[in-house]
Amino acid sequence: MKRLILIAVLLLPIHIFSQSWLTREDTYWFAGTGVDLRNATIGGTVNDASYDGTFSIGYRNVGFSILAYYETFQAIEYESMGINPGFVLRPGKRLIPAGDISLSFIRRPWKTYPSLAFNARLEYHFDRFFVYLRGENRWRTDYDFYQISVYGGICIKFGFN
């Protein structure tokens, strides 16, 4: 009986560590693109409807996520780029909430400004890609106010374990 308990105690960690928290759904690289939904459809506070797009590349490992992004909005001569470290809730599931902080710069024709944003994402995952909605609360240091935006997009997963 003691041997059986000893074997169970030794094998249980192996069984646990081989399970879903280190599966291919939890660790991968991704690349994606998205648009500001309001600016694309009805326009913003200072512009008519036009393209405001983002491009990103990132890495996800279980509950940790990091991505680098570039945003271009030519209608108002706005660019933004940054790095977003964050966390992932429910890794490996189909519907995944995530959050991050954006350490970034806003570049305008007259000057470059540091910026900070807080993002909340809701992602729906398929085998090789996912779609997302992202709410952003950005400190617009180029005009010194906070702005809330909503983005939608798609990301392709690659580099599975």
Side-chain angles (χ1 to χ4, degrees):
M1 183 65 169
K2 289 180 185 179
R3 285 186 196 159
L4 184 60
I5 293 173
L6 180 62
I7 290 170
V9 168
L10 292 175
L11 292 180
L12 186 62
I14 293 170
H15 175 72
I16 291 171
F17 287 114
S18 67
Q19 294 304 309
S20 68
W21 73 280
L22 286 176
T23 63
R24 66 181 240 184
E25 290 87 16
D26 299 321
T27 302
Y28 52 87
W29 290 87
F30 60 92
T33 186
V35 295
D36 182 313
L37 297 175
R38 182 184 67 182
N39 282 328
T41 55
I42 62 172
T45 55
V46 295
N47 59 282
D48 292 330
S50 57
Y51 175 76
D52 175 5
T54 63
F55 304 95
S56 60
I57 186 163
Y59 176 73
R60 184 163 292 168
N61 187 351
V62 189
F64 172 75
S65 178
I66 189 161
L67 67 90
Y69 79 93
Y70 171 75
E71 178 181 4
T72 181
F73 191 8
Q74 293 179 353
I76 62 169
E77 298 179 305
Y78 173 94
E79 292 177 301
S80 176
M81 61 213 73
I83 296 174
N84 299 15
F87 61 92
V88 179
L89 302 174
R90 302 182 65 222
K93 304 294 184 188
R94 289 267 184 216
L95 188 62
I96 297 177
D100 61 47
I101 184 169
S102 178
L103 310 169
S104 56
F105 291 96
I106 294 172
R107 189 165 69 186
R108 302 301 298 257
W110 56 89
K111 192 174 177 183
T112 299
Y113 304 86
S115 185
L116 183 67
F118 299 98
N119 298 299
R121 296 169 64 106
L122 188 58
E123 304 168 350
Y124 190 82
H125 286 251
F126 299 91
D127 287 338
R128 297 282 180 179
F129 70 97
F130 61 92
V131 293
Y132 69 86
L133 282 175
R134 174 174 61 93
E136 174 186 83
N137 183 5
R138 175 172 297 281
W139 179 26
R140 288 287 305 271
T141 50
D142 54 337
Y143 290 121
D144 199 27
F145 67 88
Y146 283 93
Q147 181 173 350
I148 295 175
S149 300
V150 177
Y151 295 82
I154 185 168
C155 291
I156 306 296
K157 299 188 239 183
F158 58 96
F160 293 103
N161 287 347

